[in-house]
Amino acid sequence: MKILLYNPDNGVTRNFMPHLWMFLLQALTPSGHEVLLVDGNAQPMDEAGIAQFVRDNNIGLVGIGAMTRMIAKAYRMADAVRATGVPVVMGGPHVTEMADEALGRDGGPRHADAVALGEADATWPRIVEDAARGELKDVYSPVDAFGQESKPSLKEYPVIPWQSIDLKQFNLVPKAATGLLQKIGEGWGSFRIIPVESGRGCPYGCEFCTVTGFFGDSIRFRTNESVVNELLLLKARARTEKGQMAVFFIDDNFAINIKRTKSLLRDIIAAGAQCHWVAQISANLLRDEELVDLIAASGGKWIFIGMESIDPANLKDVNKGFNKPGEYAAVLERLAERNVYAITSFIFGMDNDTVGAAERTLEQVRTWPPGLPIFGLLTPLPATPLYKRLEKAGRLTRPKHWQEFIPFAMAHTPLKMTIEEAHAEVNYGWAQAYSPEALAHAVESLNDQPLGYRVNIFLARICFRGIYFPMMGKMAWVKVIAQNRRTIFKLVREGFKAGAWRGAPARVLAVPVPSAEAGEAIAQGAES
Ligand code: B12
Ligand code: SF4
C-alpha cells in the first residue's frame, strides 16, 4: 500500500523546519508499504491538489497531523481526500483532545475515518495493517495489554534514515545560489534545520500549555548513543552535500533533567558530534554554570526561553511561578558570555496585563544582551487548564477559534484591558523591538565582539523582523534594507578593515539564522 503523510501549511508563511512526526511514522511503518511525505509549508497544496496527488500516486491511506491552528485546513484537506474514496487517519495534539470533532460525533461533519490518540509510535503499525486489510477502526489509543494508557519509553528509538530521505523541499538556500554557495568554506549549498528529539514530557504544567496533558508528566529520554548517532548521520549528510545542517532539539524543556542533559552534551562532544543547535530550556534551569558551559561547547547557539511575562503576578496566574523575572538578565548574561543568545518569548493579554505592558517589557529587554524577542497573545488551546478556566468564567469570545484561524487575535477577553488593547500591545512589541533603531542598538551592544557576531545578530534580527512585517516580496526586502542602511554600511565598512574578522572564524557565521518563516512559527510559541 502507498501511504501519504501530509502536514498542512501554517496558513501564514512557509515554515522553516519539517515536522518530526512525519519522519518518525515513516520510520515506524511496517515493511512492504511505501510512504510519501508532503509538508504543505514547503510544498503548498490545496484541496484539488491533494485529491489529484492521491489519485495520481495510487495512495491507499492518507495520514494527516496538525496543531490546533492548522486544523481547519487539515479538515478541508481530509474532506477532499475522503471524497476520492481513500481513507484518512488523523493524529496530533488537536484531534487527540477533539476526537469527536474529527469523527463527526459532535454534530458536525465527519473529517477522518480514524483518529490516533496521543503518541502514535506503537499504534501506527497497527493502523497501517488495519488499513491495508480495509478494517480501520475509528479510534486508536496507546494502551497496554491491560487496557492501561501506555507511553513509548524512547529507549528503542527508530533510526531515522536521514542519509537517504529526500530533503529537497526543506533547503533554505535559494536554488539560484546553491551552486555558488557550495564552493564557500565547507559548503553552503544547502542549509536545513532538522528536528531531533532527545526526550518527551514536561512536568511543569503551565496553564496554557498542552504538553503536560499530552505527553504526561513522566519524562522519557532516548539513549545518549541514539541521539549522538543521529547527529553524526546528519553531519555526514551535510558534508557529502557540501551544505550545512543545524539541529532543533524539539524537547519541550531540553534540560528538564540537568544531569541527563549534561551527560548527553558530554557524549556529543566526546563523539565529535557537535553541530549548531537550538533548544527550548526554561530560565530556572539555566542557573547552572556547568550546563551553560556544555551547551556552548556542544554547539548550542540559540536557546528559546519562554519568559512569558516580566510580571510575577501574571506568571503565578498561569502556573509558571518558577519563572523569576528578577533573574532573567543574569541568565541571559550567562549565555551571552559564551556567545549563546536567546529567543525570548513573551505573551500579552495575560490577566494582570494593563495598557503599556509591551513598553514595560521592552524597557527591560533593552538592558539585556541582544537576542530575539518575540511576542504572542495568550491563547486558550483545547483541553488546557486555561481553556477550562476561561470557559467556566464565561470569558471565551471565540470558543472554537480554531475553526477560523486569525493570526495574532485573542479568543477571550483579558481582565484589565480590552481585546483591541491587547492586540495593540503585540503590535507595539514587534514594531519597537525590530525598528531600525533597535537593530542598530543590538549590533552596537556587541561592539567589543568580533564582527562575525554583530553580522550574525543583525541577520537574525532582520529575518525575525519579517515575522511581523511581512517581507515576502522583493520590494519589501528593498524597503527593509533601505531603512537599515546605516547599520548595513557600518558592518560592511568594518568588514573591509584589515583584521576585522579576526577571532570570528567562518563557523561563527554558521549559527543557524532563523528565516522570517522560522521566526513567524516560533513567534507564537510559548514552550518552556
Ligand atoms: C517543535 C515545535 C514547534 C516548532 C515548529 C513545528 C515543527 N516544524 O516541528 C516551532 C517552535 C516553530 C513551534 C511553533 C508553534 N507551536 Co509548537 N511545538 C513544537 C513541539 C515542541 C515539538 C513538536 C514535535 O515534533 N514533537 C515530537 C513529535 C514526535 O510529537 P507529535 O508531533 O505530537 O507527534 C506524535 C503524535 O502527536 C502523533 N501524531 C502526530 N501527527 C500525527 C499524524 C498521524 C496521521 C498520526 C497517526 C499520528 C500523529 O504521533 C507522533 C508520534 O507519537 C511541540 C510540543 C511537543 N513536545 O510535541 C509544540 C506544540 C506542537 N506547539 C504548539 C503550539 C501551540 C505552537 C504555536 C501555535 C505556538 C503558540 N503557542 O501559539 C506555534 C505555531 C507554529 C506554526 N506557525 O506553524 C502546541 C500545539 C498545541 C495544539 N493543540 O495545537 C504544542 C503541543 C506545544 C504547546 N505549547 O502546547 N512549535
Ligand atoms: S510551557 Fe514549557 S515549561 Fe511550561 S509545561 Fe509547557 S513545556 Fe513545560
PDB file of all heavy atoms in Angstrom, residues 10 48 78 102 130 164 185 195 247 287 330 368 370 425 461 466 474:
ATOM      1  N   ASN A  10       0.978  26.333   7.667  1.00  0.00           N
ATOM      2  CA  ASN A  10       0.504  27.027   8.865  1.00  0.00           C
ATOM      3  C   ASN A  10      -0.350  28.245   8.535  1.00  0.00           C
ATOM      4  O   ASN A  10      -0.768  28.978   9.423  1.00  0.00           O
ATOM      5  CB  ASN A  10       1.670  27.377   9.799  1.00  0.00           C
ATOM      6  CG  ASN A  10       2.597  28.414   9.202  1.00  0.00           C
ATOM      7  OD1 ASN A  10       2.160  29.361   8.562  1.00  0.00           O
ATOM      8  ND2 ASN A  10       3.898  28.255   9.411  1.00  0.00           N
ATOM      9  N   ALA A  48      -7.985  20.538  -4.203  1.00  0.00           N
ATOM     10  CA  ALA A  48      -7.959  19.858  -5.501  1.00  0.00           C
ATOM     11  C   ALA A  48      -6.588  19.203  -5.710  1.00  0.00           C
ATOM     12  O   ALA A  48      -6.490  18.097  -6.247  1.00  0.00           O
ATOM     13  CB  ALA A  48      -8.229  20.859  -6.617  1.00  0.00           C
ATOM     14  N   ALA A  78      -8.649  16.773   4.458  1.00  0.00           N
ATOM     15  CA  ALA A  78      -9.135  15.418   4.737  1.00  0.00           C
ATOM     16  C   ALA A  78     -10.440  15.168   3.980  1.00  0.00           C
ATOM     17  O   ALA A  78     -10.636  14.093   3.382  1.00  0.00           O
ATOM     18  CB  ALA A  78      -9.351  15.259   6.247  1.00  0.00           C
ATOM     19  N   ALA A 102     -13.299  15.488  14.969  1.00  0.00           N
ATOM     20  CA  ALA A 102     -12.728  14.902  13.747  1.00  0.00           C
ATOM     21  C   ALA A 102     -13.601  13.774  13.210  1.00  0.00           C
ATOM     22  O   ALA A 102     -13.713  13.574  11.998  1.00  0.00           O
ATOM     23  CB  ALA A 102     -11.319  14.398  14.032  1.00  0.00           C
ATOM     24  N   ASP A 130      -4.276  -2.473   9.652  1.00  0.00           N
ATOM     25  CA  ASP A 130      -5.742  -2.473   9.578  1.00  0.00           C
ATOM     26  C   ASP A 130      -6.219  -1.827   8.282  1.00  0.00           C
ATOM     27  O   ASP A 130      -7.147  -2.304   7.627  1.00  0.00           O
ATOM     28  CB  ASP A 130      -6.353  -1.704  10.772  1.00  0.00           C
ATOM     29  CG  ASP A 130      -6.294  -2.511  12.072  1.00  0.00           C
ATOM     30  OD1 ASP A 130      -5.769  -3.649  12.036  1.00  0.00           O
ATOM     31  OD2 ASP A 130      -6.752  -1.997  13.118  1.00  0.00           O
ATOM     32  N   SER A 164      19.281   9.162   3.570  1.00  0.00           N
ATOM     33  CA  SER A 164      18.653   8.907   2.269  1.00  0.00           C
ATOM     34  C   SER A 164      17.315   9.625   2.080  1.00  0.00           C
ATOM     35  O   SER A 164      16.759   9.625   0.984  1.00  0.00           O
ATOM     36  CB  SER A 164      18.447   7.397   2.098  1.00  0.00           C
ATOM     37  OG  SER A 164      17.733   6.896   3.217  1.00  0.00           O
ATOM     38  N   GLY A 185      33.783  27.945   1.790  1.00  0.00           N
ATOM     39  CA  GLY A 185      34.200  27.237   3.004  1.00  0.00           C
ATOM     40  C   GLY A 185      33.918  25.743   2.895  1.00  0.00           C
ATOM     41  O   GLY A 185      34.236  25.099   1.891  1.00  0.00           O
ATOM     42  N   PRO A 195      14.589  18.742  12.893  1.00  0.00           N
ATOM     43  CA  PRO A 195      14.084  18.480  14.241  1.00  0.00           C
ATOM     44  C   PRO A 195      14.599  17.146  14.776  1.00  0.00           C
ATOM     45  O   PRO A 195      14.547  16.135  14.085  1.00  0.00           O
ATOM     46  CB  PRO A 195      12.563  18.414  14.034  1.00  0.00           C
ATOM     47  CG  PRO A 195      12.403  17.953  12.621  1.00  0.00           C
ATOM     48  CD  PRO A 195      13.592  18.437  11.843  1.00  0.00           C
ATOM     49  N   VAL A 247      20.493  21.739  14.079  1.00  0.00           N
ATOM     50  CA  VAL A 247      19.507  20.871  14.736  1.00  0.00           C
ATOM     51  C   VAL A 247      18.642  21.683  15.684  1.00  0.00           C
ATOM     52  O   VAL A 247      19.139  22.568  16.382  1.00  0.00           O
ATOM     53  CB  VAL A 247      20.254  19.738  15.488  1.00  0.00           C
ATOM     54  CG1 VAL A 247      19.364  19.089  16.535  1.00  0.00           C
ATOM     55  CG2 VAL A 247      20.742  18.692  14.491  1.00  0.00           C
ATOM     56  N   ARG A 287      20.466  28.300  35.470  1.00  0.00           N
ATOM     57  CA  ARG A 287      21.285  28.858  36.562  1.00  0.00           C
ATOM     58  C   ARG A 287      22.613  28.113  36.657  1.00  0.00           C
ATOM     59  O   ARG A 287      23.561  28.594  37.244  1.00  0.00           O
ATOM     60  CB  ARG A 287      20.555  28.663  37.902  1.00  0.00           C
ATOM     61  CG  ARG A 287      19.333  29.528  38.049  1.00  0.00           C
ATOM     62  CD  ARG A 287      18.540  29.158  39.295  1.00  0.00           C
ATOM     63  NE  ARG A 287      17.224  29.810  39.236  1.00  0.00           N
ATOM     64  CZ  ARG A 287      16.104  29.275  39.700  1.00  0.00           C
ATOM     65  NH1 ARG A 287      16.099  28.100  40.293  1.00  0.00           N
ATOM     66  NH2 ARG A 287      14.966  29.926  39.594  1.00  0.00           N
ATOM     67  N   ALA A 330      20.408  37.993  34.450  1.00  0.00           N
ATOM     68  CA  ALA A 330      21.592  37.200  34.796  1.00  0.00           C
ATOM     69  C   ALA A 330      21.689  35.954  33.911  1.00  0.00           C
ATOM     70  O   ALA A 330      22.784  35.577  33.453  1.00  0.00           O
ATOM     71  CB  ALA A 330      21.528  36.805  36.266  1.00  0.00           C
ATOM     72  N   TRP A 368      19.161  44.056  28.296  1.00  0.00           N
ATOM     73  CA  TRP A 368      19.717  42.698  28.243  1.00  0.00           C
ATOM     74  C   TRP A 368      20.665  42.539  27.054  1.00  0.00           C
ATOM     75  O   TRP A 368      20.617  43.332  26.116  1.00  0.00           O
ATOM     76  CB  TRP A 368      18.576  41.672  28.101  1.00  0.00           C
ATOM     77  CG  TRP A 368      17.626  41.621  29.256  1.00  0.00           C
ATOM     78  CD1 TRP A 368      17.844  42.090  30.522  1.00  0.00           C
ATOM     79  CD2 TRP A 368      16.294  41.097  29.243  1.00  0.00           C
ATOM     80  NE1 TRP A 368      16.729  41.875  31.306  1.00  0.00           N
ATOM     81  CE2 TRP A 368      15.763  41.265  30.556  1.00  0.00           C
ATOM     82  CE3 TRP A 368      15.486  40.478  28.281  1.00  0.00           C
ATOM     83  CZ2 TRP A 368      14.491  40.852  30.909  1.00  0.00           C
ATOM     84  CZ3 TRP A 368      14.222  40.066  28.636  1.00  0.00           C
ATOM     85  CH2 TRP A 368      13.730  40.245  29.922  1.00  0.00           C
ATOM     86  N   PRO A 370      21.821  41.322  23.449  1.00  0.00           N
ATOM     87  CA  PRO A 370      20.904  41.266  22.310  1.00  0.00           C
ATOM     88  C   PRO A 370      20.413  39.846  22.074  1.00  0.00           C
ATOM     89  O   PRO A 370      21.150  38.886  22.280  1.00  0.00           O
ATOM     90  CB  PRO A 370      21.764  41.728  21.134  1.00  0.00           C
ATOM     91  CG  PRO A 370      23.156  41.393  21.546  1.00  0.00           C
ATOM     92  CD  PRO A 370      23.211  41.579  23.031  1.00  0.00           C
ATOM     93  N   GLU A 425      -0.840  45.974  22.034  1.00  0.00           N
ATOM     94  CA  GLU A 425       0.413  45.701  22.761  1.00  0.00           C
ATOM     95  C   GLU A 425       1.333  44.807  21.915  1.00  0.00           C
ATOM     96  O   GLU A 425       2.531  45.052  21.824  1.00  0.00           O
ATOM     97  CB  GLU A 425       0.122  45.009  24.106  1.00  0.00           C
ATOM     98  CG  GLU A 425      -0.595  45.885  25.124  1.00  0.00           C
ATOM     99  CD  GLU A 425       0.178  47.139  25.527  1.00  0.00           C
ATOM    100  OE1 GLU A 425       1.412  47.088  25.611  1.00  0.00           O
ATOM    101  OE2 GLU A 425      -0.475  48.175  25.742  1.00  0.00           O
ATOM    102  N   ARG A 461      18.131  39.178  13.454  1.00  0.00           N
ATOM    103  CA  ARG A 461      17.076  40.152  13.763  1.00  0.00           C
ATOM    104  C   ARG A 461      16.281  40.529  12.520  1.00  0.00           C
ATOM    105  O   ARG A 461      15.070  40.664  12.549  1.00  0.00           O
ATOM    106  CB  ARG A 461      17.702  41.424  14.334  1.00  0.00           C
ATOM    107  CG  ARG A 461      18.090  41.274  15.772  1.00  0.00           C
ATOM    108  CD  ARG A 461      17.064  41.985  16.618  1.00  0.00           C
ATOM    109  NE  ARG A 461      17.421  41.909  18.012  1.00  0.00           N
ATOM    110  CZ  ARG A 461      17.043  42.791  18.907  1.00  0.00           C
ATOM    111  NH1 ARG A 461      16.303  43.816  18.568  1.00  0.00           N
ATOM    112  NH2 ARG A 461      17.377  42.651  20.148  1.00  0.00           N
ATOM    113  N   GLY A 466      10.780  39.936   9.837  1.00  0.00           N
ATOM    114  CA  GLY A 466       9.789  39.526   8.846  1.00  0.00           C
ATOM    115  C   GLY A 466       8.615  38.785   9.439  1.00  0.00           C
ATOM    116  O   GLY A 466       7.606  38.559   8.792  1.00  0.00           O
ATOM    117  N   LYS A 474      10.022  41.105  -3.100  1.00  0.00           N
ATOM    118  CA  LYS A 474      11.316  41.759  -3.308  1.00  0.00           C
ATOM    119  C   LYS A 474      11.286  43.200  -2.797  1.00  0.00           C
ATOM    120  O   LYS A 474      12.207  43.686  -2.168  1.00  0.00           O
ATOM    121  CB  LYS A 474      11.657  41.757  -4.802  1.00  0.00           C
ATOM    122  CG  LYS A 474      12.342  40.480  -5.220  1.00  0.00           C
ATOM    123  CD  LYS A 474      12.866  40.595  -6.648  1.00  0.00           C
ATOM    124  CE  LYS A 474      13.210  39.202  -7.135  1.00  0.00           C
ATOM    125  NZ  LYS A 474      12.660  38.836  -8.402  1.00  0.00           N
TER     126      LYS A 474
END
